[in-house]
Amino acid sequence: SNYSKPNAHSRHNAAYWTGGEYLALGTGATGFVGRERYTNHRSADRYLTEVFAGRLPQGAPEQLGATELFEERVAMGLRLTNGVALQQVCADFGEAFDSRAVTVRQLIASGLAVETAGRLALTDAGFDLHSSIAARLM
């Protein structure tokens, strides 16, 4: 799921990493629609009981706010080889880019990231530090 041949990436996983919507199909599956994440019941018996009763087989949904959506978009976008349009994502979720610009410049200067056509992408060395870099940009 994390590696692919050129032009053969997983469109399914790309939906997770770019903030797309997806449905939960089956026991224990997770879906995301609008600002809501939900998970189907993990027990096959409970799942089927709900389905046969004409009800959605979901547990309690999780409402995501702008901060959570922003953080996910940054962290997941940095997993992509073409990176994330950080300035645009900041604008989309009401976050200040200016406070992150120094960090971006440091990442580029230290060889951990590159910026191309408005997208911040991690280098091979940066991918090794993905979690700490994402945390710095959140």
Side-chain angles (χ1 to χ4, degrees), residues 3 7 12 26-27 43-44 54 58 69 90 94 99 105-106 126 128 130-131 135 138:
Y3 300 95
N7 300 314
H12 173 82
T27 58
S43 160
Q58 302 170 356
L69 292 168
C90 286
S99 62
R105 287 192 297 273
Q106 290 170 343
D128 290 339
H130 170 273
S131 294
M138 289 180 199

Side-chain angles (χ1 to χ4, degrees), residues 16 20 22 50-51 63 69 77-79 99 104 135 138:
Y16 301 146
Y22 46 93
E50 295 298 315
V51 169
Q63 295 296 321
L69 292 168
L78 288 173
R79 292 183 68 175
S99 62
V104 168
M138 289 180 199

Side-chain angles (χ1 to χ4, degrees), residues 46-123:
R46 186 167 180 194
Y47 178 91
L48 291 173
T49 297
E50 295 298 315
V51 169
F52 289 137
R55 296 185 295 264
L56 292 174
Q58 302 170 356
E62 174 188 10
Q63 295 296 321
L64 301 177
T67 300
E68 291 90 359
L69 292 168
F70 169 76
E71 290 175 351
E72 284 190 9
R73 188 71 56 85
V74 170
M76 295 297 114
L78 288 173
R79 292 183 68 175
L80 302 170
T81 55
N82 70 337
V84 62
L86 186 59
Q87 281 187 277
Q88 184 61 53
V89 172
C90 286
D92 290 347
F93 293 100
E95 294 284 336
F97 175 76
D98 293 343
S99 62
R100 294 167 172 88
V102 171
T103 301
V104 168
R105 287 192 297 273
Q106 290 170 343
L107 291 168
I108 292 169
S110 62
L112 297 174
V114 294
E115 192 168 22
T116 307
R119 298 186 71 83
L120 182 69
L122 299 180
T123 62

Side-chain angles (χ1 to χ4, degrees), residues 10-23 30-32 37 72-73 76-77 79-80:
S10 168
R11 290 179 294 177
H12 173 82
N13 287 357
Y16 301 146
W17 298 337
T18 59
E21 295 182 336
Y22 46 93
L23 297 176
T30 299
F32 178 73
R37 181 177 293 122
E72 284 190 9
R73 188 71 56 85
M76 295 297 114
R79 292 183 68 175
L80 302 170

